[in-house]
Amino acid sequence: MTDQHAPARTTLILAILFAGAFVMGCAEMLVVGMIDLIAADLAVSVSAAGALVTANALGLAIGGPLLTLALTRFDRRAVLLASISVFVLANLVPVLTTDYTLFVIARVVIGGVQGLFIAAAMVTATSIVPPQRAGRAMALIIGGFAMSSAIGMPLGTLLGQAIGWRGSFTGVVAVGLVVLVVAFLVLPSVPASGDHRALGQARHAFAPRVLVVLGVSLLTFAAMLSAITYLIPFLDEVTGTTGAVATAYLLIYGVATAIGSFAGGRFADANAALTLIVGAAGVGLSLIVLVLFGANPIAAGAAVFGVGLFGMATGASIQHRVVSLAGPGAPLASSLPASAVNAGIALGAFAGGVALDSAGVAAAVVTGIALAVLATAAAWATSAVRPTATLPTADPVQVAD
């Protein structure tokens, strides 16, 4: 391949990484959109069907880093192809069986390979672009998952009603196979670099300077989900909004997260530390608007949009900061922001639920505000954290036929 065609090849590689992130995210969100159908068909409670979402999140938060650590010495191309293959096979489980337990296990596996895919995709994406565009490359992967959040839930609801929930998972398998074939044809070899030993990777990836920055992401997403998890009952109580109109607010949130994910890449390249401060503060201010002016539908919509926009705009910046701070442990560290986000989601949903049970639905939003204040303070306090040594930046991978 000649040099003038290299940019087109790079774009194609980034596009397939985005597509992989998108289809994996859609598989995660499909359950949310069809949870009542799944519960009825498998003869389990809605809360038991909800455990499928929890299983996926735990698989990603815990299994992602463990799989990344175990496979750190392997070429990223092989890791990406393996993760997509396992993803496709695991999504065949609900299509071919009616066993609830197997479905839960499959969801844990799916979450684990999602985390593995994210880490390998981040390394691959940043290795084929100039260093000054690393944030935008990371944002593309994050944007794939964010787009799935905006589309996956409403799409899952529509498909579930039209062709059944198993048909929806069949569609995921079919699209996953297409992504796998194209990935096999276009992904370049990206050999492992730096310290290949598990302990060596872990020592750098879990260094205190990395963990404190991950804490910023955990608190930011906890603030978001403390309110967003209970947005529908909040709107019902404050504005009397129910049904399709209430669902529209979730769509607004999904669109905002997608916009924030893509826009956040440029800010990460410009000043990742500052972006984390502004993002956390923006989430807090948006939640203040929601709790004070949520009775006004327009103000509520703007506040929900702000939470999604500012929160997800921090995605590329946290990835950028963590990878740069981890140094030789960057391949493993690439999987940690997703774990921090999922831990934040779990913390936010739990804290908001406790607040709701204790003092009403508005208390869940107030709890989100308190968490956002903590996130802003943590982002400011860690903004001066730098790597212990300046590490040489690897040249972009040369892609070839």
Side-chain angles (χ1 to χ4, degrees), residues 69 72 193-214 321-334 336 385-389 391:
L69 182 61
T72 187
S193 59
D195 192 344
H196 301 171
R197 297 170 301 170
L199 289 179
Q201 285 273 324
R203 180 166 59 87
H204 294 287
F206 292 100
R209 62 182 179 275
V210 176
L211 296 179
V212 294
V213 173
L214 284 170
R321 289 277 285 154
V322 164
V323 168
S324 64
L325 290 171
L332 172 58
S334 296
L336 299 182
V385 176
R386 295 288 181 268
T388 55
L391 299 166

Side-chain angles (χ1 to χ4, degrees), residues 23 88 92 168-180:
V23 71
V88 170
L92 276 173
S168 298
F169 277 96
T170 302
V172 166
V173 170
V175 176
L177 284 172
V178 173
V179 172
L180 178 61

Side-chain angles (χ1 to χ4, degrees), residues 6 28 32 44 49 55 63 68 90-91 99 113 143 148 236 252 293 297 302 330 340 371:
E28 180 178 0
V32 178
V44 298
T68 301
N91 276 288
D99 190 286
V113 296
S148 70
D236 184 18
I252 290 172
F293 306 105
L371 288 167

